[in-house]
Amino acid sequence: MEAFAILLAAGKGTRMKSELPKVLHPVGGVPMIGRLVGKLEAMPITRILAVIGHRGELVKKCLGTRVAYVQQENQLGTAHAVHQTEPLLRNRSGSTLVLTGDTPLIRQSTIEMLLAAQRANTSAGVVLTAIVQDPTGYGRIIRDPLSGEVVDIIEEKDATPEQKEINEINTGIFCFDNESLFQALPGITNDNAQQEYYLTDIVKVMRQIGISGGQKKFEAMILDDPTEVMGINTPEQLEEANRAFYEHMGIFA
């Protein structure tokens, strides 16, 4: 069975206060997206696609022919970014990983387990989640109180006070059944606080059109160590990621 990987690498990363695209800042001496691509290259991935935007030519210079490139001309959200890969992936059967290009500390074994989880149950999708003490800034995982099934992912700016109390968060990393992914993407709207097309809304859309909730469920895999997906949005967080890398080189390399 084929497997594909989509790397989201189009963001400006304005809080980094640098002209360099965020995904090119080094962690452990290697641009963070390059470190991520290296882990995917060690897996049986059919094709790796990088969605680029702001100063995308620098990302191309960094990665060369290791990946295929898709341009996101306008920054309209994560679902819009993934949708740009449709000409290359539509009608392909298999599994599709979606990863953010600024998660260099994620372990290859974690990515492999996420892929295996999606395949084992032929799930419509599996989201990688984490339990954190302070969920501020992250999307919250909404589960059915009886079955425990994931029924929605709510971005913080759209969450109610009660939902903000949830400490299971979305890491932004997914594995989808490829055909289910591209069947559901057109149903995502930008009716939210940011007026963006959120990939997280795919859970709700899949349930609405009957992709998940039946034989193909949308599931979650809880990450043991949230450090693997720590946010890197500021110079301070970049410094923290480098510190974590060097303290645990054998784990995060």
Side-chain angles (χ1 to χ4, degrees), residues 7-21:
L7 301 181
L8 304 183
K12 293 181 180 180
T14 51
R15 285 188 284 166
M16 294 297 286
K17 300 175 183 177
S18 168
E19 283 299 305
L20 196 66

Side-chain angles (χ1 to χ4, degrees), residues 203-218:
V203 184
K204 183 168 51 184
V205 171
M206 282 181 166
R207 292 180 66 82
Q208 287 170 349
I209 64 179
I211 294 176
S212 75
Q215 286 188 327
K216 286 188 176 181
K217 295 188 180 299
F218 199 97

Side-chain angles (χ1 to χ4, degrees), residues 116-138:
Q118 187 276 320
R119 286 178 166 174
N121 299 321
T122 58
S123 307
V126 182
V127 57
L128 185 64
T129 73
I131 307 295
V132 296
Q133 287 187 328
D134 181 9
T136 304
Y138 291 95

Side-chain angles (χ1 to χ4, degrees), residues 15-242:
R15 285 188 284 166
M16 294 297 286
K17 300 175 183 177
S18 168
E19 283 299 305
L20 196 66
K22 180 172 69 168
V23 298
L24 294 185
H25 286 82
V27 169
V30 176
M32 57 178 92
I33 193 170
R35 189 167 291 286
L36 188 55
V37 168
K39 294 171 187 181
L40 292 169
E41 287 174 329
M43 295 173 57
I45 303 294
T46 307
R47 197 170 197 188
I48 304 171
L49 306 176
V51 181
I52 58 174
H54 174 68
R55 304 210 69 184
E57 73 280 0
L58 296 180
V59 179
K60 285 185 175 181
K61 186 176 180 181
C62 171
L63 297 178
T65 58
R66 296 168 68 188
V67 306
Y69 299 95
V70 176
Q71 188 79 24
Q72 185 186 23
E73 296 292 348
N74 299 306
Q75 311 298 296
L76 300 179
T78 48
H80 178 261
V82 171
H83 212 164
Q84 305 313 296
T85 68
E86 185 178 21
L88 298 176
L89 294 182
R90 66 176 168 224
N91 302 323
R92 302 285 291 268
S93 61
S95 304
T96 298
L97 291 155
V98 178
L99 305 103
T100 54
D102 59 351
T103 50
L105 299 184
I106 190 167
R107 305 182 204 187
Q108 182 183 325
S109 60
T110 298
I111 304 171
E112 289 169 341
M113 285 190 289
L114 183 65
L115 178 60
Q118 187 276 320
R119 286 178 166 174
N121 299 321
T122 58
S123 307
V126 182
V127 57
L128 185 64
T129 73
I131 307 295
V132 296
Q133 287 187 328
D134 181 9
T136 304
Y138 291 95
R140 308 304 203 275
I141 303 299
I142 311 299
R143 292 178 179 267
D144 183 287
L146 296 178
S147 68
E149 185 181 350
V150 178
V151 295
D152 204 355
I153 304 174
I154 301 291
E155 296 296 336
E156 182 168 77
K157 290 183 178 180
D158 300 298
T160 65
E162 293 78 15
Q163 289 169 335
K164 288 180 181 178
E165 295 297 315
I166 296 170
N167 64 350
E168 184 179 9
I169 57 101
N170 168 40
T171 68
I173 296 173
F174 298 82
C175 187
F176 295 99
D177 169 73
N178 188 66
E179 291 170 306
S180 297
L181 169 64
F182 288 101
Q183 187 180 343
L185 279 172
I188 295 176
T189 70
N190 65 346
D191 183 20
N192 52 63
Q194 295 287 91
Q195 292 191 302
E196 290 187 355
Y197 296 90
Y198 296 147
L199 185 59
T200 47
D201 282 348
I202 202 163
V203 184
K204 183 168 51 184
V205 171
M206 282 181 166
R207 292 180 66 82
Q208 287 170 349
I209 64 179
I211 294 176
S212 75
Q215 286 188 327
K216 286 188 176 181
K217 295 188 180 299
F218 199 97
E219 301 178 308
M221 187 180 98
I222 302 174
L223 188 59
D224 290 332
D225 182 2
T227 307
E228 289 188 54
V229 289
M230 65 184 298
I232 305 177
N233 296 301
T234 66
E236 293 76 21
Q237 289 173 338
L238 179 63
E239 185 179 341
E240 185 181 349
N242 271 287

